[in-house]
Amino acid sequence: MRIVDARVIVTCPGRNFVTLKIVTSDGFTGVGDATLNGRELSVASYLTEHVVPALIGRDPARIEDTWQYLYKGAYWRRGPVTMSAIAAVDTALWDIKGKVAGLPVYQLLGGRSRDGVTVYGHANAVDVDGVLSEISAYIDLGYRAVRVQTGIPGLASTYGVGKDRTFYEPADAAIATENTWSTEAYLAHIPNVFARVREEFGPALKLLHDVHHRLTPIEAARLGRSLEPYHLTWMEDPVPAELQSGFREIRRHTTTPIAVGEVFNTIWDCQELITDQLIDYIRTTVVHAGGITHLRRIFDLAALYHVRSGSHGATDLSPICMSAALHLDISIPNFGLQEYMRHTDETDEVFPHGYRYEGGYLHPSEEPGLGVDIDEELAARYPYRPAALPVNRLEDGTMHSW
């Protein structure tokens, strides 16, 4: 069996997605997500111009060898564009392998380690009363874990707080929107939010918060210490992660657990964080960290150092990525949590899938392969639309970290 066709599909059913579909000489097909939010066409071009021609004629069963070929053969290794392209190929090949074997992919990864994948939802609102209402709604849906974000008093807008409570899409304009940020206002406000949340809902609900890389290490340490009375499951992305040693400063001052990794592309981005036990959850994703093959390596390393998974699962990852993530989540021994933001109805129609939500858990498809596909005819009805993530400036106009 050989690869006879590979095509790149760009579609925008409410937001942009890039998909690779591989076809074999025996008629098997596999799909992989290649979406890189705000830079989608860069990956589409990389795949079309450089990867697809190299795939034709290759043996689809040689997943590891193909991964090494694409990673080592590029010379210019790593980076979000390269690793998202490799991820699409890798995911599609695992999909094919499962179909050839007649098994869901998680069975090829060692089978179940748990009955379901615990997910967390996003409760966000412009004020505390609004976020309390959102948390109640998630509890009514069966969620056991909720990420809490609110607007910051005095700021016109806050990343992570959307106008649509159900479907949040931060990429809101063709050219990046510029927002104003105040660290002082943020640090004064957030502990009061979690005090209200714990007062309202008690100690059992798992609570999470995303800082979105906006603090320095000592500022993050201050926030973590101020949140300790409210026992968060994690404080996410407290600082820009390029300086891995910066997390050591946070660790010295607070016991609030730390999660990071959604922008990481390889195991080298988080090696020090994991081996020095500077984090508690690693949030790397299938699509941005080189596919199932490489993400499993990251999780295996993390398991040795008591670090659990907590993969990114926002709506900029297509149902193909979510399907692949669930097959990993259900099989690894050190699973922590899985982020789950529901896609729009239009997206679900373009990407029909077999995974399902029930009572706080997601369950992977039992169909052979990943249990997900792309309706190419329907996808063609939604052409690409430029959209960029917003950026922040401090109140004096200085460009902020994110």
Side-chain angles (χ1 to χ4, degrees):
M1 184 166 60
R2 298 288 166 178
I3 296 172
V4 296
D5 188 27
R7 49 187 179 269
V8 180
I9 305 150
V10 181
T11 185
C12 186
R15 63 112 38 244
N16 295 314
F17 296 106
V18 179
T19 303
L20 177 69
K21 191 161 195 174
I22 294 177
V23 183
T24 75
S25 55
D26 286 9
F28 290 100
T29 63
V31 290
D33 187 11
T35 307
L36 184 61
N37 198 359
R39 298 293 184 267
E40 297 89 354
L41 296 185
S42 298
V43 188
S45 176
Y46 189 104
L47 283 167
T48 301
E49 302 295 331
H50 305 292
V51 175
V52 166
L55 293 178
I56 305 304
R58 294 187 66 86
D59 182 354
R62 297 179 62 166
I63 297 176
E64 179 66 40
D65 182 63
T66 299
W67 194 98
Q68 296 293 339
Y69 171 79
L70 294 174
Y71 181 78
K72 295 178 178 176
Y75 186 78
W76 309 105
R77 299 181 184 182
R78 305 166 64 179
V81 173
T82 295
M83 297 307 290
S84 296
I86 292 174
V89 176
D90 184 80
T91 304
L93 294 183
W94 276 104
D95 191 19
I96 290 170
K97 186 171 285 288
K99 291 174 180 176
V100 171
L103 293 169
V105 166
Y106 77 80
Q107 294 287 13
L108 305 179
L109 300 174
R112 289 178 178 268
S113 290
R114 58 200 47 83
D115 296 328
V117 173
T118 304
V119 297
Y120 70 90
H122 286 207
N124 67 87
V126 295
D127 56 30
V128 180
D129 289 337
V131 88
L132 295 178
S133 176
E134 290 300 307
I135 294 170
S136 292
Y138 275 104
I139 291 173
D140 291 343
L141 291 170
Y143 282 74
R144 296 167 171 81
V146 180
R147 194 187 86 167
V148 176
Q149 310 288 137
T150 72
I152 308 302
L155 300 185
S157 62
T158 305
Y159 187 88
V161 178
K163 298 176 181 177
D164 189 320
R165 294 287 178 268
T166 305
F167 305 110
Y168 171 54
E169 175 49 61
D172 58 0
I175 304 299
T177 302
E178 296 192 8
N179 297 326
T180 300
W181 175 253
S182 168
T183 297
E184 294 77 12
Y186 169 76
L187 290 174
H189 177 64
I190 289 301
N192 297 326
V193 173
F194 281 92
R196 286 280 307 277
V197 172
R198 279 295 182 218
E199 180 182 359
E200 183 77 15
F201 298 103
L205 182 66
K206 294 179 185 295
L207 298 178
L208 306 86
H209 178 66
D210 193 346
V211 184
H212 291 117
H213 316 273
R214 293 196 184 108
L215 303 178
T216 65
I218 200 64
E219 290 167 345
R222 172 185 161 190
L223 176 63
R225 178 170 288 185
S226 70
L227 292 174
E228 286 176 12
Y230 313 115
H231 305 293
L232 271 64
T233 295
W234 76 46
M235 175 175 68
E236 178 183 340
D237 292 342
V239 295
E242 290 94 331
L243 180 65
Q244 294 189 30
S245 61
F247 285 77
R248 200 178 311 279
E249 189 68 22
I250 306 173
R251 271 287 203 240
R252 288 193 184 106
H253 296 284
T254 181
T255 58
T256 295
I258 299 169
V260 72
E262 68 182 66
V263 300
F264 293 171
N265 309 129
T266 72
I267 199 168
W268 306 110
D269 297 324
C270 52
Q271 180 193 15
E272 181 181 345
L273 295 175
I274 291 172
T275 58
D276 288 0
Q277 296 178 276
L278 300 179
I279 60 173
D280 302 279
Y281 294 87
I282 181 67
R283 289 185 32 75
T284 40
T285 69
V286 171
V287 63
H288 298 143
I292 291 172
T293 296
H294 193 64
L295 185 54
R296 186 166 61 162
R297 280 200 187 93
I298 294 173
F299 289 162
D300 284 346
L301 175 66
L304 299 178
Y305 294 91
H306 308 290
V307 175
R308 288 178 283 183
S309 74
S311 288
H312 181 59
T315 50
D316 62 320
L317 313 181
S318 83
I320 295 173
C321 182
M322 179 58 73
S323 297
L326 294 174
H327 285 279
L328 262 180
D329 292 337
I330 205 78
S331 63
I332 61 173
N334 56 323
F335 170 76
L337 285 172
Q338 171 65 56
E339 182 178 18
Y340 176 46
M341 293 179 69
R342 288 167 286 174
H343 289 103
T344 64
D345 292 341
E346 293 81 4
T347 297
D348 286 338
E349 290 169 359
V350 170
F351 297 95
H353 54 268
Y355 66 78
R356 59 185 175 83
Y357 171 84
E358 183 179 352
Y361 302 102
L362 277 176
H363 300 273
S365 171
E366 293 295 333
E367 302 168 35
L370 295 175
V372 63
D373 206 346
I374 182 169
D375 184 328
E376 295 183 66
E377 183 177 340
L378 187 56
R381 300 180 192 175
Y382 300 101
Y384 171 80
R385 186 172 67 243
L389 291 167
V391 297
N392 279 316
R393 292 186 182 273
L394 300 179
E395 292 174 297
D396 68 355
T398 301
M399 191 69 193
H400 196 40
S401 60
W402 198 54

